[in-house]
């Protein structure tokens, strides 16, 4: 199994890798033959049967001319064709060669058909996914919204995938099918254009904005008051952490955003209200429902990340004024859940001669299962993406009456449909999906969600709760759109005008789009279909029976903020606020990231360019790997002032003396500090949260929620957490940086009070809590890393294991061994620029990573650099399964050939596809 070390380079390394690969295959076969008990075994030929052909010639019916597929030493393909249809057909064929298992699982997830592959364990997931209806919406998009050109490309792509599948058994496609064959007789079906479109719905789901915050705030009301909840969701620090857009203004006369405007125009934008009729507190009866909903969300396969942690990303662009090349440099590293294979697939799509018949010459990161390039560059422009985080989901309480629901003092009938779920090895299941005018009733999908508390805290205007309120979901992605058009428009855009036009079609998910071109211009555009609300701000569930809480429309595209060649000469997007709330009339969200990463990047750029310094591609790479901890800078000076008597704890405290706050993998100080931070979070906040937010299985003796007076005082009940570790609170992200910053100088703030235990006295002040946290951290790391602090390192705690997202997580142990890789010891951390995120409530393990990194050089595109988390191949034991991971872990980047000459020079294998 690979570790965080890399074999030496050169010919010797190649031989060593070859021997290791053969050895692994032999060990694999022996393990399977010796221990499975399925009455069957795999041979070496079974393992290798699905490896792609990368040399020679293959005949494909449907091509109009020959297509060259040139792969470099990392197996990354560059495709050359003479027509758009041939180009995308070849893309479908090649992606299927490397990644069809991944593609097949994705389409079964987006269509709510996982049970067909994996049996009854996935029925609950399928019920929820069918209720959302991603595949149904995707079909509507394909039928009525997408351009004829986009449909032609989707059809060509599907034709290529199906050409690959023709005549193949499961074992010919991937090892996973061979394993699945032990359990059932599943066989892959043909690929359809709608399968590709539906993938954007899965992407939108994991980038959906503040839905989890909406649930969490509501759940907090069982134990915390409105002011306490407000403490845990502080306002964005605009004065300290700069927003993305700093120049320009919204014009209330033209109703457009002017990137060069200087006047400040404000308006209402429909942000009044608090979410629920009658106040900021969710009805008590919603606790059970929202807890059940959170459980369902935890179980839904999160392709891009665990439910609950805000997905992050970095992207920034520097103009030629500040670079050594005199042309822009653009960097991007989206932060997503680690998985094997990586969610990204590197690829180049080249027309041999660009013309009206063949329009593309683009290279970058693609999604397996979808034509086109998502992030990358063509011959004139480059672009990157980070999650804008716009609030595009709202939960609505619905009052049922008979066979309908109440709305505007009337009873409306549900819109219903029947769904049939087929189950491998079991009986099919039928469900009825009900929808209100706000969207599907997601509360129908879990028994807990239909229960109502005995005391629902709604005002007198609310309808009687009767047998309970339902929960409906309003979400922009459930309305058919044309985001697929945007992908192809971006791929062939030549300037900022065409880039913005493409962005206007990028409705869902809403992303920060960053731009640079070879003429020297840089820019930013906030796209997306972002709702305007009547009453309510989307921060809590809204009353579905009240028409004043309906969405009134969407922010006009021309009114969305953008920048073009700002005076400062650079633009940073890292999930911070898009624009100062006082300069913009519309609400984009109430839940931004808090700007720790974005401001650090801004500071790094400023430190480089002050006094006329110039930035290089290498500087951009080093910024991507910046490990600095912003919360450590705030806390360590105070931690060092605490008088520690215990010599063993003092020994750990001394690690922080002289520490530069960088979280390198070999840093003992980083290990200790992060353990202290984790303990501070638990003592100050975590132990005070309701069980629905705390880690599953972690139990506390607490006073029952809803104590009524002195008679209940002192009573304790045993309460155990219910949330998956990866999505529990407090997660320790930069929201909590801001929470602690707000109270850090209030040494007797109530949050610093923590009850005593059998071994610890209660804390009443900040320093008492900090001292206890330092003691707890010392013994925590002693248990995990040993007594000798000199042997401690952050990387030994902060480890990455890459797991196949299906059989590698749910399959039998031997199969997980076959499919998974790792661990790697990593540096970086939560809300660092090198965002190897971890959830402080759950542990130190890595749950978020820079899923890829790239730096585009607009002066010479062949001098651009890139890296993927894993490799091009989705086949276990293929040479390119994880061949980029060691370099990724060390922050290295690979050369990114683009021109024909550079591609030819880097080509190792050439496959010719012929009609």
């Amino acid at each position: 199994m690979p570790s965080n070390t890399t074999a030496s380079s050169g010919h010797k390394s190649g031989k060593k890798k070859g021997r290791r690969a053969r050895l692994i295959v032999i060990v694999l076969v022996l393990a399977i033959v010796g221990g499975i008990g399925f009455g069957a075994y795999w041979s070496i030929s079974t393992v290798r049967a699905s490896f792609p052909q990368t040399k020679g010639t293959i005949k494909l019916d449907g091509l109009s001319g020959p297509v060259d597929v040139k792969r470099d030493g990392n197996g990354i393909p560059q495709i050359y064709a003479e027509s758009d249809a041939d180009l995308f057909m070849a893309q479908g064929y090649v992606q299927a060669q490397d990644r069809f298992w991944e593609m097949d699982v994705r389409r079964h997830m987006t269509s709510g058909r996982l049970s067909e592959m994996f049996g009854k364990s996935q029925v609950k997931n399928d019920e929820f996914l069918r209720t959302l209806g991603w595949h149904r919406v995707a079909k509507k998009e394909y039928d009525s919204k997408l351009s004829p050109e986009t449909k032609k490309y989707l059809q060509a792509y599907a034709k290529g995938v199906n050409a690959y599948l023709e005549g193949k058994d499961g074992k010919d496609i991937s090892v996973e099918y061979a394993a699945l064959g032990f359990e059932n007789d599943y066989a892959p079906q043909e690929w359809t254009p709608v399968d590709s479109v539906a993938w954007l719905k899965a992407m939108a789901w994991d980038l959906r904005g503040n839905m989890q915050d909406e649930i969490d705030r509501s759940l907090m009301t069982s134990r915390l008051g409105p002011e306490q909840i407000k403490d845990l969701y502080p306002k964005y620090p605009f004065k300290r952490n700069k927003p993305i857009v700093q120049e320009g203004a919204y014009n209330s006369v033209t109703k457009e955003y002017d990137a060069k405007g200087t006047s400040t125009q404000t308006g209402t934008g429909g942000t009044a209200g608090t979410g629920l009729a009658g106040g900021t507190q969710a009805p008590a009866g919603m606790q059970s429902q929202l807890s059940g909903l959170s459980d369902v969300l935890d179980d839904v396969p999160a392709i891009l990340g665990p439910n609950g942690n805000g997905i992050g990303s970095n992207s920034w662009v520097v103009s030629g004024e500040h670079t050594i090349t005199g042309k822009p440099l653009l960097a991007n590293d989206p932060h997503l859940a680690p998985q094997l294979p990586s969610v990204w697939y590197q690829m180049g799509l080249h027309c041999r001669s660009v013309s009206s018949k063949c329009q593309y010459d683009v290279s970058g990161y693609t999604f397996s299962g979808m034509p086109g390039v998502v992030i990358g560059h063509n011959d004139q422009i480059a672009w990157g993406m980070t999650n804008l985080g716009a609030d595009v989901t709202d939960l609505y309480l619905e009052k049922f009456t008979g066979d309908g629901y109440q709305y505007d003092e009337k009873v409306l009938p549900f819109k219903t449909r029947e769904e049939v779920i087929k189950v491998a090895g079991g009986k099919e299941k039928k469900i009825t999906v009900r929808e209100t005018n706000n969207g599907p009733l997601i509360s129908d999908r879990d028994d807990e969600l239909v229960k109502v508390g005995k005391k629902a805290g709604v005002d007198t205007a609310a309808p009687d709760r009767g047998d309970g309120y339902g929960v409906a979901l309003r979400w922009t992605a459930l309305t058919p759109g044309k985001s697929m058009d945007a992908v192809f428009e971006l791929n062939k855009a030549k300037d900022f005008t065409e880039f913005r036009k493409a962005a206007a079609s990028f409705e869902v998910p809403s992303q920060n789009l960053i731009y640079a071109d070879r003429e020297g211009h840089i820019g930013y555009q906030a796209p997306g279909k972002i709702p305007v609300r009547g009453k309510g701000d989307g921060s809590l569930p809204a009353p579905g029976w009240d028409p004043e809480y309906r969405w009134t429309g969407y922010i006009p595209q021309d009114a969305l903020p953008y920048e073009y060649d700002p005076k400062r000469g650079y633009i940073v997007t890292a999930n911070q606020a898009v624009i100062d709330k006082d300069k913009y009339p519309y609400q984009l969200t109430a839940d931004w990231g808090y700007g720790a990463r974005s401001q650090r990047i801004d500071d790094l750029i400023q430190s480089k360019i002050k006094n006329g310094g110039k930035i290089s591609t290498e500087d951009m790479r080093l910024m991507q790997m910046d490990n600095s901890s912003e919360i450590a800078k705030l806390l360590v000076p105070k931690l060092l002032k605490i008088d520690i008597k215990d010599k063993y704890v003092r020994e750990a405290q001394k690690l922080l003396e002289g520490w530069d706050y960088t979280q390198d993998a070999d840093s003992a100080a980083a290990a200790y500090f992060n353990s202290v931070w984790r303990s501070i979070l638990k003592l100050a906040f975590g132990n005070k949260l309701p069980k629905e937010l705390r880690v599953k299985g972690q139990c506390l003796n607490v006073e029952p929620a809803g104590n009524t007076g002195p008679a209940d005082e002192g009573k304790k009940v045993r309460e155990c957490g219910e949330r998956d570790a990866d999505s529990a609170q407090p997660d320790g992200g930069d929201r909590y940086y801001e929470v602690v910053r707000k109270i850090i100088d209030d040494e007797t703030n109530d949050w610093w009070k923590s009850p005593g235990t059998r071994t610890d006295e209660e804390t009443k002040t900040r320093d008492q809590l900090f001292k206890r946290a330092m003691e707890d951290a010392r013994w925590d790391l002693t248990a995990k890393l040993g007594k000798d602090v000199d042997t401690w390192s952050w990387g030994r705690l902060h480890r990455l294991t890459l797991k196949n997202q299906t059989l590698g997580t749910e399959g039998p142990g031997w199969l997980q061994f076959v499919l998974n890789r790792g661990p790697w010891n990593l540096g970086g951390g939560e809300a660092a620029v090198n965002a190897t995120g971890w959830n402080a409530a759950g542990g130190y393990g890595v749950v978020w990573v820079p899923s890829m990194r790239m730096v585009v050089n607009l002066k010479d595109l062949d001098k651009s650099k890139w890296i993927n988390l894993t490799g091009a191949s989705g086949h276990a034991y293929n040479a390119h399964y994880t061949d980029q991971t060691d370099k990724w872990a060390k922050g290295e980047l690979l050369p990114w050939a683009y021109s024909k000459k550079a591609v030819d020079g880097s080509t190792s294998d050439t496959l010719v596809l012929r009609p």
Side-chain angles (χ1 to χ4, degrees):
M1 302 292 280
S3 67
N4 61 319
T5 58
T6 308
S8 58
S9 60
H11 183 64
K12 184 178 179 181
S13 172
K15 285 187 175 180
K16 191 177 293 184
K17 286 181 180 178
R19 288 196 299 269
R20 183 171 62 183
R22 288 192 295 273
L23 177 61
I24 289 172
V25 170
I26 293 167
V27 170
L28 161 68
V29 174
L30 290 174
I32 292 169
V33 172
I36 291 179
F38 280 105
Y41 65 91
W42 291 343
S43 64
I44 293 177
S45 62
T46 302
V47 174
R48 292 177 173 167
S50 59
F51 287 8
Q53 179 180 339
T54 60
K55 296 180 179 180
T57 302
I58 297 176
K59 183 178 179 181
L60 291 190
D61 291 338
L63 288 176
S64 63
V67 177
D68 294 331
V69 181
K70 301 184 177 186
R71 294 177 183 261
D72 67 10
N74 291 99
I76 299 170
Q78 304 283 339
I79 299 175
Y80 290 85
E82 293 176 356
S83 74
D84 292 337
D86 284 357
L87 194 63
F88 294 117
M89 182 177 176
Q91 182 181 16
Y93 185 88
V94 171
Q95 286 190 341
Q97 279 187 304
D98 279 331
R99 300 281 192 96
F100 185 76
W101 167 261
E102 174 193 8
M103 293 163 59
D104 201 17
V105 171
R106 282 181 180 175
R107 66 159 163 184
H108 278 78
M109 190 202 71
T110 57
S111 58
R113 294 168 49 220
L114 288 168
S115 302
E116 294 177 19
M117 298 183 77
F118 305 112
K120 63 182 180 180
S121 67
Q122 297 300 315
V123 169
K124 283 283 187 184
N125 287 335
D126 283 347
E127 289 180 5
F128 187 75
L129 294 163
R130 293 285 185 96
T131 299
L132 293 179
W134 293 349
H135 202 267
R136 289 170 55 85
V137 178
K139 188 175 188 310
K140 291 178 182 177
E141 289 183 355
Y142 180 78
D143 290 341
S144 63
K145 289 289 185 179
L146 299 181
S147 71
E149 189 175 60
T150 295
K151 288 184 179 182
K152 182 180 76 172
Y153 299 157
L154 289 164
Q155 291 163 4
Y157 181 90
K159 187 187 296 184
V161 176
N162 292 328
Y164 168 76
L165 293 177
E166 187 175 355
K168 289 185 173 65
D169 294 327
K171 64 179 173 54
D172 300 323
I173 298 172
S174 79
V175 162
E176 289 93 335
Y177 288 112
L180 203 63
F182 293 144
E183 299 289 344
N184 60 57
D185 57 357
Y186 173 82
Q189 297 175 343
E190 284 198 344
W191 193 265
T192 73
V194 177
D195 292 334
S196 294
V197 179
W199 166 235
L200 283 175
K201 300 301 172 188
M203 179 180 170
W205 176 250
D206 281 350
L207 301 173
R208 63 193 178 273
N210 76 335
M211 184 172 166
Q212 190 63 47
D213 288 324
E214 192 174 337
I215 293 169
D216 286 356
R217 275 189 288 262
S218 300
L219 291 171
M220 285 178 183
T221 60
S222 67
R223 287 212 171 271
L224 304 178
E227 289 303 312
Q228 291 172 307
I229 295 173
K230 189 177 178 182
D231 285 347
L232 297 183
Y233 289 89
K235 293 180 179 178
Y236 185 88
F238 284 99
K239 291 184 179 179
R240 187 176 66 255
N241 294 343
K242 299 171 186 173
I244 297 170
V245 173
Q246 300 171 37
E247 298 177 17
Y250 175 77
N251 190 313
S252 60
V253 176
T254 64
K255 309 295 184 185
E256 295 182 357
Y257 192 87
D258 179 2
K260 297 299 180 183
T262 55
S263 61
T264 300
Q265 303 287 341
T266 59
T268 59
T271 60
T274 55
L276 273 167
T280 58
Q281 185 163 331
M286 285 297 294
Q287 303 306 314
S288 158
Q289 292 185 313
L290 291 170
S291 176
L293 173 57
S294 189
D295 290 342
V296 172
L297 297 181
D298 272 336
D299 287 339
V300 172
I303 285 186
L304 303 184
N307 177 50
N309 278 348
I311 291 180
S313 299
N314 301 322
S315 187
W316 66 96
V317 62
V318 182
S319 74
E321 173 190 0
H322 300 307
T323 69
I324 62 172
T325 67
K327 294 288 186 181
L329 294 171
L330 185 150
N332 197 186
D333 54 284
H335 306 153
L336 305 172
Q339 56 185 273
L340 183 59
S342 165
V343 71
W344 300 108
Y345 183 88
Q346 296 149 291
M347 181 175 257
L349 301 172
H350 308 278
C351 291
R352 291 194 181 97
S353 177
V354 176
S355 65
S356 59
K357 178 185 175 184
C358 198
Q359 305 172 71
Y360 296 88
D361 189 9
V362 60
S363 184
Y365 293 86
T366 72
F367 288 137
S368 301
M370 203 177 90
V373 169
V374 178
I375 293 174
H377 70 80
N378 59 31
D379 64 329
Q380 294 299 320
I381 76 164
W383 66 95
M385 296 184 190
T386 61
N387 193 23
L388 193 152
D391 185 359
V392 295
T393 60
D394 276 342
L395 297 175
Y396 282 90
L397 310 186
E398 304 287 5
K399 167 58 183 172
F400 300 160
T401 301
D403 293 329
Y405 61 98
Q406 289 189 20
Y407 176 73
D408 197 16
E409 300 182 354
K410 300 174 185 175
V411 177
L412 302 181
F414 294 112
K415 183 180 178 181
T416 63
R417 69 177 188 271
E418 188 176 83
E419 297 278 353
V420 179
I421 298 171
K422 297 179 180 178
V423 183
K427 294 182 179 179
E428 66 183 27
K429 182 173 183 180
K430 294 181 180 179
I431 64 169
T432 298
V433 176
R434 300 189 294 176
E435 294 186 11
T436 72
N437 57 6
N438 288 311
L441 279 166
I442 52 179
S443 56
D444 282 353
R445 298 284 71 90
D446 191 276
D447 292 341
E448 276 196 356
L449 298 181
V450 300
K451 297 176 183 176
V452 178
K454 295 180 179 179
K455 299 177 181 179
V458 293
D459 65 17
T460 56
D464 182 82
R465 51 191 169 79
D467 292 332
Y469 296 120
V471 182
L473 172 66
R474 183 102 191 249
W475 178 31
T476 55
L478 298 183
T479 301
K482 51 183 181 178
S483 293
M484 198 72 228
D485 285 346
V487 174
F488 299 108
E489 291 170 7
L490 276 175
N491 284 192
K492 60 185 180 183
K494 299 299 183 186
D495 55 33
F496 194 61
T497 299
E498 293 183 4
F499 172 80
R500 291 192 69 210
K501 182 176 180 293
S505 298
F506 210 109
E507 297 173 344
V508 178
S510 187
Q511 298 287 285
N512 295 307
L513 294 177
I514 201 164
Y515 168 93
D517 64 37
R518 302 196 72 182
E519 296 297 317
H521 303 291
I522 64 172
Y524 163 84
Q525 177 68 58
K529 198 171 187 177
I530 303 171
V532 175
R533 295 166 176 84
K535 292 179 68 175
D537 63 2
S539 62
L540 287 167
W545 51 81
D546 188 343
E548 292 191 24
Y549 284 81
R550 296 275 290 169
W551 292 359
T552 61
Y554 301 94
I555 300 175
Q557 286 291 323
D558 288 341
L560 289 168
Y562 74 98
E563 278 192 330
Y564 186 59
D565 290 339
K567 294 176 183 176
R568 63 188 180 279
Y570 62 91
I571 302 170
V572 177
T573 87
N575 316 114
Q576 79 270 40
V578 170
I579 187 168
D580 194 316
K581 59 182 173 49
D582 294 329
K583 296 182 180 179
Y584 192 64
Y586 296 102
Q587 176 179 297
L588 299 174
T589 185
D591 293 294
W592 302 113
Y594 282 80
R597 279 180 290 108
S598 62
Q599 193 55 46
R600 175 62 178 171
I601 295 167
D602 195 289
D603 291 344
L604 289 169
I605 294 172
Q606 282 286 349
S607 68
K608 188 71 180 178
I609 66 178
K610 66 182 180 182
N611 302 320
K614 300 292 184 180
I615 293 174
S616 66
T617 300
E618 175 64 6
D619 292 327
M620 300 285 272
R621 184 193 72 82
L622 290 172
M623 291 178 195
Q624 288 179 325
M625 294 304 297
D626 182 80
N627 286 331
S628 179
S629 170
E630 296 305 297
I631 190 63
K633 294 175 185 176
L634 178 69
L635 294 182
V636 166
K638 292 177 170 52
L639 295 174
L640 287 174
K641 290 180 180 178
I642 294 173
D643 185 21
I644 300 293
K645 303 297 186 185
D646 186 302
K647 67 176 184 178
Y648 290 106
V649 180
R650 171 62 185 144
E651 189 179 37
Q653 183 189 35
K654 289 173 69 175
L655 293 172
L656 303 178
E657 295 175 358
W659 180 43
D660 62 0
Y661 312 122
T662 59
Q663 301 169 97
D664 296 332
D666 61 358
S667 170
Y672 182 59
F673 171 77
N674 281 317
S675 185
V676 173
W677 171 233
R678 186 179 181 223
S679 296
I680 289 172
L681 290 165
K682 181 180 179 182
L683 294 170
F685 310 108
N687 290 349
K688 297 163 189 174
L689 295 177
K691 63 181 183 297
E692 292 87 356
L693 273 68
R694 300 200 314 269
V695 175
K696 192 178 296 181
Q698 291 186 2
C699 302
L700 296 170
N701 293 320
V702 298
E703 291 186 11
N707 279 357
T708 58
D712 288 323
E713 193 169 335
K715 288 184 178 179
K716 298 281 186 178
V717 295
R718 188 74 166 166
E719 240 183 35
C720 298
E722 299 177 352
R723 182 72 61 84
D724 281 359
D726 287 352
S727 56
Q729 294 294 330
D731 61 22
D734 64 357
R735 173 161 65 87
Y736 283 95
Y737 293 10
E738 196 63 22
V739 169
V740 170
R741 191 184 297 275
K742 293 280 188 184
I743 64 172
I744 191 69
D745 294 322
D746 182 1
E747 298 187 33
T748 58
N749 189 284
D750 283 348
W751 287 110
W752 301 130
K753 297 177 181 178
S754 181
T757 67
R758 287 181 301 171
T759 56
D760 296 292
E761 295 182 358
E762 69 173 318
T763 66
K764 297 181 179 180
T765 68
R766 181 198 70 193
D767 286 354
Q768 287 175 351
L769 186 141
F770 281 8
K771 180 179 180 182
R772 184 163 149 192
M774 294 172 77
E775 292 167 351
D776 289 350
R778 184 7 162 160
W779 306 123
D780 180 43
L781 294 198
T782 297
K784 289 181 170 64
L785 301 179
K787 187 175 180 180
D788 185 355
V789 299
D790 291 334
T791 68
W792 291 358
S793 71
W794 175 224
R796 287 176 60 199
L797 288 175
H798 191 53
R799 309 185 90 185
L800 168 68
T801 298
L802 292 172
K803 294 184 178 182
N804 178 290
Q805 289 302 289
T806 50
L807 299 181
T809 55
E810 301 296 332
W814 66 267
L815 190 56
Q816 293 187 34
F817 172 80
V818 168
L819 298 175
N820 299 341
R821 298 291 181 272
W824 283 265
N825 297 347
L826 298 185
E830 185 74 18
V833 181
N834 182 22
T836 55
W838 54 289
N839 186 306
Y844 303 100
V846 177
V847 296
W848 297 104
V849 292
S851 55
M852 61 81 159
R853 298 186 185 100
M854 74 176 196
V855 179
V856 182
N857 183 329
L858 276 300
K859 173 69 173 180
D860 185 347
L861 294 170
D862 286 331
K863 292 183 179 177
S864 301
K865 304 282 187 179
W866 63 354
I867 197 78
N868 204 352
L869 172 64
T870 60
S873 180
H875 300 287
Y877 304 106
N878 183 281
H880 306 305
Y881 192 48
T882 55
D883 60 334
Q884 297 184 48
T885 309
D886 283 343
K887 290 182 171 61
W888 172 91
K890 293 190 290 187
E892 297 177 13
L893 298 174
L894 297 171
W896 183 354
Y898 174 70
S899 70
K900 181 68 164 53
K901 180 179 179 181
V903 169
D904 286 346
S906 65
T907 296
S908 295
D909 295 347
T910 299
L911 173 69
V912 179
L913 305 177
R914 293 193 177 278

